[in-house]
Amino acid sequence: MAEARAGGRRWLRLLDRYVLALTLRPMLMSLGVVLTALLLERVLRLVDMLATAGAPIILVVSLSTNLIPHYLGFALPAGFALGIFSAVSRMSLGAELEAMLASGVSIQSILRPLVALGCILSLLSIVVVGYLAPYCRYAYRDIINSSVAYAWRAHAPAATFISVKDGLTITADEVDKTGRQLTGVFIQNRDQGADVVTSSVAGTLELTPDKTQIQLKLHNGVVIRDYGAARPSTLRFQELVLDKKFDLQAPPFRPRGGNERELTLSELWSEMNAPLPSSPLNELQAEFHSRLARSLSLPFLPLLIVPLSMTMRRNARVGNAAASAILMVLFHNALQIGQTFAHKGRGWPPLDCWAPFFIYVAFALWLYRTSTDRPGDTVVSRALDRVRRAAADLTRRAGARLQTAKS
């Protein structure tokens, strides 16, 4: 008897390793693909922003790196779901699942390592989203401040409008290789209630005499000031130094915590219970509860995905995969909507953020409980079968009517 129990434990350990191996490979690949897809669109916008501001394009690497923890919070559930679906559907289509069930292995035995993996990923998500992401978000904004929003790098790309300090917009028709000698300069800004437009034949970016700032010296141009009168004021010049100077370096960025998204979970909790919180209480609660709800949903994900991936028919696999994706999108959109309502003070923030979570957990438990007797037969698969039969029936009727019309 003892040997049988030991053999059973060894079998369970072997099964756990097998299920985890089947899950981790596609999960990591899917995680990389999803994370890359989420970052790619943002990277393109960052490149455009840095180029427009005249900042070094290499900064896109630092900015993208600081965005990874934020996007990882969204990519983890998607990658985990794809890994589970790939592993279980592979066992189903290869008749491995059927053989396991016939030999006495229960669905719970297959589910156990997946739930354990979900718990580990949930803890990882809490660390990444709850503690690492706030610091990276602050570092991202610090780089933006020092490289784009405040300091101008004294480099002007040709035929590009650059928005620099105090609403000043500068463009030039031609720029030399150093980025300092400009031809066909056009400047627009607002000064003392007047719209000011300055144009010149040429311009030079140079250091101020104290070598602490950058100034723009213009040659052969005109300044037009529009105060709203019938005729604007016009001034022609041979040489003019623009009265705005541009710092070589930005001043120190504000301390971290100027926004609730820059606070860790511990700091959010402290602020929520402080007599005078740094942000409105509903915004702090919305951020705190939404982060926890999203992270704690991972252990329940196998309960939702495993029933939908246990199918012996190849034609049902695509429909179940689509249903899984739709359910995941619905849940995460519901979480986002709840967070938005809580952030705007509509309702009670804990209820707004946790109601989608509990509905998701209840549905996942119900779907799992109703699919254990007949693996692969779920309310979702039956609904998909009805849709397929209805579509086939409509196609058959349309074909019959077409034949009748031709005859």
Side-chain angles (χ1 to χ4, degrees), residues 131 133-139 253-264 267:
Y131 292 91
Y135 285 95
C136 290
R137 181 177 296 277
Y138 175 76
F253 194 41
R254 59 170 173 77
R256 185 179 62 85
N259 183 278
E260 70 276 1
R261 303 183 76 180
E262 296 176 3
L263 299 175
T264 65
E267 291 167 342

Side-chain angles (χ1 to χ4, degrees), residues 6 22 28 35 38 41 82 84 141 159 183 217 223 235 252 273 301 342 349 362 372 394 405:
L22 287 179
L28 294 176
L35 190 58
L38 291 172
E41 188 271 337
L82 288 169
I84 296 171
R141 291 174 174 174
T183 303
K217 182 180 290 185
V223 179
L235 172 66
N273 293 280
L301 194 55
T372 53
L394 287 174

Side-chain angles (χ1 to χ4, degrees), residues 141-207:
R141 291 174 174 174
D142 188 13
I143 296 173
I144 292 293
N145 174 76
S146 60
S147 303
V148 177
Y150 190 89
W152 187 26
R153 297 283 178 169
H155 177 82
T160 301
F161 285 91
I162 305 173
S163 297
V164 289
K165 188 177 180 183
D166 298 331
L168 191 70
T169 301
I170 299 177
T171 186
D173 295 335
E174 296 180 6
V175 182
D176 71 346
K177 293 182 180 180
T178 66
R180 305 298 179 90
Q181 299 297 327
L182 316 178
T183 303
V185 183
F186 177 86
I187 303 172
Q188 183 179 17
N189 69 309
R190 191 166 180 82
D191 183 30
Q192 297 179 357
D195 291 322
V196 182
V197 174
T198 305
S199 63
S200 66
V201 175
T204 305
L205 289 168
E206 57 185 28
L207 291 175

Side-chain angles (χ1 to χ4, degrees), residues 279-290:
S279 299
L281 182 59
N282 59 291
E283 296 180 4
L284 296 170
Q285 290 179 329
E287 187 68 22
F288 178 82
H289 292 293
S290 63

Side-chain angles (χ1 to χ4, degrees), residues 108-119:
Q108 288 83 352
S109 300
I110 299 172
L111 191 70
R112 188 185 304 119
L114 297 175
V115 173
L117 178 59
C119 293

